[in-house]
Structure formats: C-alpha cells, structure tokens
Amino acid sequence: MGATDDPLDELMAGMAAGDPAFLFAFVEEYGPKVRWIVRSILESMGRHDLVRDGDELDGLTLDACWVIFDRADGWAPGAAA
C-alpha cells in the first residue's frame, strides 16, 4: 500500500495518473457512499422521480465517480475527504 496506508489515497493517486482500473476500484469501494450523496442532492432538489429510478440513480452515481476521476489530480493526501 501507499505511504499513508489509506486506500482512498492510493485510489486517488491511481486515478490522478489516469489509470481507469483505479476508477473501477473506487466505484467498487466508495460507490455506495457516492450514491448516498447523489441521492441526497437529488432529494434536496425535489427530484424524487430520479431517486425512485434505480437505473437513473446508478447512472448519475457513475457520472459523479467519473467527475472524481477527472479531477483526481487535485487530491491532497491527508486533506479532507
């Protein structure tokens, strides 16, 4: 494991390097948390129709993970998650 022994730091470093394998590992490990956040945002926007549509929610969750992948080079290990 990496110098910090934090799996999130290792995943983010891999994504920052542009390796999509780390994106899929991130989705596997953190997808449920990202889904919970996406769901919360949708509920706050009153988009209960999207919250009830599991396929749509899954797609938006994956989109959010891709955004994290695209911005991973801005990750600061040890900073706020």
Side-chain angles (χ1 to χ4, degrees):
M1 194 153 310
T4 65
D5 289 335
D6 184 343
L8 182 58
D9 287 342
E10 183 178 353
L11 291 171
M12 294 302 291
M15 290 193 294
D19 187 340
F22 286 91
L23 168 64
F24 298 113
F26 177 85
V27 171
E28 180 72 25
E29 182 70 25
Y30 295 99
K33 176 68 173 176
V34 174
R35 182 184 170 99
W36 180 83
I37 293 167
V38 168
R39 180 185 180 110
S40 177
I41 291 169
L42 290 170
E43 287 174 343
S44 74
M45 295 170 60
R47 293 302 309 264
H48 303 285
D49 56 321
L50 296 177
V51 170
R52 287 189 298 269
D53 185 336
D55 289 336
E56 190 69 33
L57 188 55
D58 287 344
L60 291 169
T61 299
L62 189 55
D63 288 347
C65 290
W66 272 105
V67 169
I68 293 168
F69 178 84
D70 289 340
R71 296 179 180 204
D73 62 345
W75 175 257

